[in-house]
Amino acid sequence: MKGTVGELGEFGLIRELTSRLTTTSAVKLGPGDDAAVVAAPDRRVVASTDVLLEGRHFRRDWSTAYDVGRKAAAQNLADIAAMGAVPTALLLGLVVPADLPVTWPAEMMDGIRDECQVAGAAVVGGDVVRGDAITIAITALGDLRNHEPVTRSGARPGDVVAVTGWLGWSAAGHAVLSRGFRSPRAFVEAHRRPEPPYHAGPAAAGLGATAMTDVSDGLVADLGHIAEASQVRIDLRSGDIDIPSQMSDIGQAVGVDPIQWVLSGGEDHAIVATFPSDVKLPARWKVIGEVLNPSALPQVTVDGAPWVHAGWDHFGDDQGAE
């Protein structure tokens, strides 16, 4: 492919992007019509949407277009899994400058397509618009498969808190990239391209999870949503949370206690859930805390004390790119 998006034109770009897609049995009518048709055997559709803005959520000097596509799809598909649903479809809204090389949105679409395949979903449609900065808007859909959705409001005193997936890896990778380095590679790649445990969400629903969310804004911040919605206190045991030795090495090198990344770093999209204490959890789940009666306001504590380091807030005073 040669040339820019402007030279290719809107419909040429759409043809290029849709030609790279695959489908699934849930897609009854894919891209090319006024709207797509996706099967909903459960007769309920789980839906989530998110927006990524260049310079705010990704940087082209840090991440390839393919990485950005994988990340954009992953953070939306993880929301579907965190409701206990199976991802089925994804819609893409794309804003790009006219002088952007065609290879960039094409490779981004490859990333979105491949992440959808990991989750068992497919891109079914979208829209492209000319604009000054690259903006990616994703809407993901899912099917509950006859389960009730697992919301944030079901945690009860006596439940245990368990997590599966990475914690703090993306934040550690961000710290590395911010200082101009590209290694340790595993942490840099975790930031560029998260790996949510999609199947763990529906599996947790089947195990009887009482509340669940993915870790997008930080473990404490996201569990805070569960605490507030459920009107409970959640206490985490820091000693039960694994910190890899390489993460400790990075923390020592940059002067950061890695527990801050684990508890406040977002964008790993691990799945954290509360379960009745008598549920036998598979080995992939790590119990890291418990649900208690609120002593005052609903909150999350760490080793019995409030955690003062905030997670991600899009309208916070000190939020840089990515």
Side-chain angles (χ1 to χ4, degrees):
M1 287 177 295
K2 296 181 180 180
T4 66
V5 168
E7 291 167 344
L8 188 61
E10 176 185 356
F11 297 108
L13 178 60
I14 291 172
R15 284 193 296 271
E16 176 60 40
L17 297 183
T18 56
S19 71
R20 313 177 87 84
L21 299 178
T22 57
T23 190
T24 69
S25 60
V27 179
K28 303 308 178 185
L29 181 64
D33 219 302
D34 290 322
V37 179
V38 181
D42 184 79
R43 300 181 68 182
R44 296 172 295 177
V45 176
V46 179
S48 179
T49 192
D50 211 344
V51 176
L52 287 84
L53 178 65
E54 182 182 8
R56 184 69 174 177
H57 303 104
F58 65 89
R59 288 173 44 171
R60 280 190 271 168
D61 59 330
W62 283 8
S63 301
T64 67
Y66 182 82
D67 290 334
V68 173
R70 293 290 295 258
K71 185 174 186 176
Q75 66 184 49
N76 284 271
L77 296 167
D79 284 335
I80 301 300
M83 296 296 292
V86 175
T88 56
L90 185 148
L91 296 159
L92 168 67
L94 180 63
V95 180
V96 290
D99 61 356
L100 183 71
V102 174
T103 53
W104 201 93
E107 292 171 6
M108 179 212 66
M109 183 61 88
D110 288 344
I112 291 176
R113 175 202 64 212
D114 289 354
E115 192 64 31
C116 282
Q117 288 181 327
V118 172
V123 179
V124 297
D127 190 24
V128 296
V129 178
R130 176 177 174 170
D132 295 332
I134 299 174
T135 304
I136 304 166
I138 300 283
T139 297
L141 308 176
D143 186 75
L144 286 164
R145 295 191 176 179
N146 297 320
H147 287 291
E148 289 303 309
V150 183
T151 68
R152 297 172 174 176
S153 61
R156 296 292 178 264
D159 288 350
V160 298
V161 179
V163 66
T164 183
W166 309 111
L167 287 175
W169 286 58
S170 177
H174 182 275
V176 169
L177 287 165
S178 296
R179 287 158 178 79
F181 298 103
R182 296 295 184 268
S183 64
R185 188 173 180 82
F187 294 90
V188 171
E189 290 303 309
H191 177 73
R192 289 171 172 164
R193 195 186 301 175
E195 299 181 9
Y198 298 116
H199 59 284
L207 288 168
T210 54
M212 183 159 54
T213 188
D214 73 309
V215 182
S216 56
D217 297 327
L219 180 64
V220 172
D222 288 312
L223 280 173
H225 299 317
I226 289 179
E228 182 176 359
S230 300
Q231 291 294 293
V232 296
R233 178 162 76 93
I234 293 175
D235 187 54
L236 300 176
R237 298 186 294 269
S238 62
D240 290 338
I241 302 175
D242 296 327
I243 299 178
S245 59
Q246 269 197 314
M247 187 184 292
S248 297
D249 293 341
I250 296 170
Q252 185 174 11
V254 302
V256 174
D257 185 342
I259 195 65
Q260 293 187 25
W261 293 329
V262 170
L263 295 178
S264 298
E267 294 194 330
D268 286 300
H269 301 288
I271 300 291
V272 63
T274 59
F275 297 89
S277 59
D278 59 352
V279 171
K280 184 174 177 58
L281 295 173
R284 66 174 297 120
W285 288 91
K286 173 76 170 177
V287 175
I288 59 172
E290 60 184 334
V291 180
L292 305 169
N293 285 304
S295 54
L297 295 176
Q299 62 177 320
V300 178
T301 54
V302 179
D303 299 325
W307 180 251
V308 297
H309 302 281
W312 176 263
D313 179 353
H314 286 280
F315 294 95
D317 293 332
D318 187 23
Q319 301 294 355
E322 291 215 342

